Amino acid sequence: MDMSTIDWANLTFGYMKTDYNVRSYYKDGKWSTPQETTSEEITMHMASTCLHYGQEAFEGLKAFRGKDGKVRIFRLHENAIRMQSSSHGILMAVLPVEIFKEAVIKAVKLNDRFIPPYGSGASLYIRPLLIGISPQVGVKPSKEYLFVVFVTPVGPYFKEGFKPTPVAIYRQYDRAAPLGTGTIKIGGNYAASLVAGDMAHKAGYSAVLYLDAKEKKYLDECGPANFFGIKDNTYITPKSTSILPSITNESLMRLAEDMGMKVERRQILEEELSTFEEAGQVGTAAVISPILRVDDVEEDKSYIISKDGKAGPISTKLYNKLKGIQLGDEPDTHGWITIVE
Ligand code: PLP
Ligand code: COI
């Protein structure tokens, strides 16, 4: 690939072929040492459990090139742990944290030329995935698994970047059940969100904001990101049994506390949206994507969040702090960074 053709500052959030991906197989109770390959293909049995019964989990994390030239991976350990929790949730073999880390670091190092330059605003998105690859016809877990890590350079998840966008509540759709799989990162949750997501995009919204599936009263999360609201110097984010525990959100809660703000993790009634001074979507891909307005489409209600169409001061401060730590411009006081040596 001719690297001079890459327009780093204008990358979208999409797939670009890189040089290598890294794989580890689980067989007879053992994981193989992570090995690189240049192949973008996976060959598997047609009766593999990932194809029929959804035994698939994935992660999403990022690596950044700093001003000092060093490459930093953000919260590698926490992503490894979350993938283990996804495995427990759908009865897959549990990948040791050390193999997760080794494979991610290897994939980042081997694709060094694809790590965007400092100052471009882009980053290297790391996508680990775990799938059941042995055949079953009855509904049973696989005996063998494949763990793959691929990377791809990305720009902002929402084309607007840090500019506020509107989100939609559609009451006829749920993403995850109250005691279902919403708390783990498995493909089925995203399949369940495609129809509503498509409806939202066609209507000009960046994402769907899901309500709790049982009572349809409380805010849950967005399709690809958690939700937060700000008022009275307080960072407020939903507590729910059906949302993904976002690692970026957890990081922002710590940064908000560091800044002297109060942090509340609790149920948020939809009506409370009218009281927020700022709100946003938060996640690895979304980073912080400020919310302009929330439309409860079927109820014909609208909550304006950003009155001037701009990101609010606290969201901006949190965003700059988070990016600063990720890029190495700010000290890593919480031990969130793995430097790739
Ligand atoms: N919620 C959902 C449904 C997601 O897909 C993601 C993305 O990973 C998040 C929240 C944010 O999680 P994290 O900050 O760990 O990337
Ligand atoms: C992420 O933020 O890493 C995600 O996984 C969100 C989306 C791309 C599925």
Side-chain angles (χ1 to χ4, degrees), residues 8-282:
W8 298 107
N10 291 301
L11 288 176
T12 57
F13 192 90
Y15 180 79
M16 180 191 292
K17 183 182 186 326
T18 57
D19 292 333
Y20 298 98
N21 60 89
V22 176
R23 303 180 183 194
S24 171
Y25 289 88
Y26 179 84
K27 197 175 173 178
D28 301 327
K30 284 199 277 299
W31 291 93
S32 65
T33 303
Q35 279 291 330
E36 68 267 32
T37 170
T38 56
S39 171
E40 292 172 281
E41 318 267 303
I42 293 172
T43 304
M44 71 174 96
H45 196 288
M46 63 187 172
S48 290
T49 63
C50 66
L51 300 176
H52 299 258
Y53 304 127
Q55 273 199 308
E56 187 271 352
F58 67 99
E59 273 305 323
L61 63 165
K62 281 176 171 172
F64 304 84
R65 197 183 297 283
K67 202 189 262 175
D68 54 8
K70 289 189 180 153
V71 174
R72 292 171 173 81
I73 303 174
F74 188 66
R75 307 211 73 174
L76 175 60
H77 185 79
E78 289 71 19
N79 281 270
I81 298 286
R82 191 169 62 188
M83 178 161 265
Q84 290 192 332
S85 129
S86 298
S87 283
H88 288 300
I90 55 170
L91 226 56
M92 297 200 290
V94 176
L95 183 78
V97 167
E98 284 317 310
I99 295 189
F100 184 97
K101 290 182 177 174
E102 182 183 337
V104 167
I105 291 170
K106 199 168 175 138
V108 170
K109 271 188 177 167
L110 287 169
N111 293 294
D112 183 76
R113 66 190 186 119
F114 291 94
I115 305 171
Y118 177 82
S120 63
S123 56
L124 189 75
Y125 186 68
I126 305 163
R127 173 52 65 83
L129 72 142
L130 179 62
I131 54 177
I133 53 166
S134 61
Q136 294 286 8
V137 180
V139 181
K140 286 191 214 102
S142 179
K143 295 191 174 72
E144 294 175 13
Y145 293 85
L146 167 60
F147 174 62
V148 183
V149 180
F150 71 79
V151 299
T152 190
V154 295
Y157 190 70
F158 301 116
K159 64 178 187 314
E160 294 82 0
F162 195 56
K163 196 168 165 274
T165 58
V167 300
I169 293 172
Y170 290 126
R171 290 170 171 272
Q172 79 258 42
Y173 296 109
D174 293 320
R175 172 184 176 273
L179 300 176
T181 55
T183 52
I184 56 176
K185 202 160 169 65
I186 60 169
N189 293 337
Y190 298 83
S193 75
L194 287 173
V195 171
D198 185 56
M199 219 163 126
H201 296 148
K202 285 186 174 139
Y205 299 102
S206 64
V208 175
L209 174 55
Y210 289 94
L211 296 181
D212 79 283
K214 191 172 174 189
E215 297 192 73
K216 295 283 191 185
K217 277 166 62 178
Y218 302 101
L219 304 183
D220 238 358
E221 68 173 331
C222 299
N226 275 184
F227 171 90
F228 72 89
I230 306 267
K231 67 174 170 188
D232 306 328
N233 203 34
T234 308
Y235 182 100
I236 307 164
T237 193
K239 188 177 164 100
S240 161
T241 56
S242 49
I243 64 177
L244 190 75
S246 157
I247 295 164
T248 319
N249 195 10
E250 196 259 333
S251 309
L252 288 191
M253 287 187 243
R254 306 267 287 275
L255 296 179
E257 273 172 0
D258 291 352
M259 289 173 187
M261 293 178 69
K262 253 177 71 186
V263 172
E264 292 176 3
R265 221 174 129 244
R266 59 165 170 82
Q267 287 185 313
I268 304 175
L269 279 170
E270 179 191 321
E271 288 68 38
E272 198 175 341
L273 281 169
S274 63
T275 68
F276 288 131
E277 297 150 15
E278 301 177 33
Q281 306 183 54
V282 53

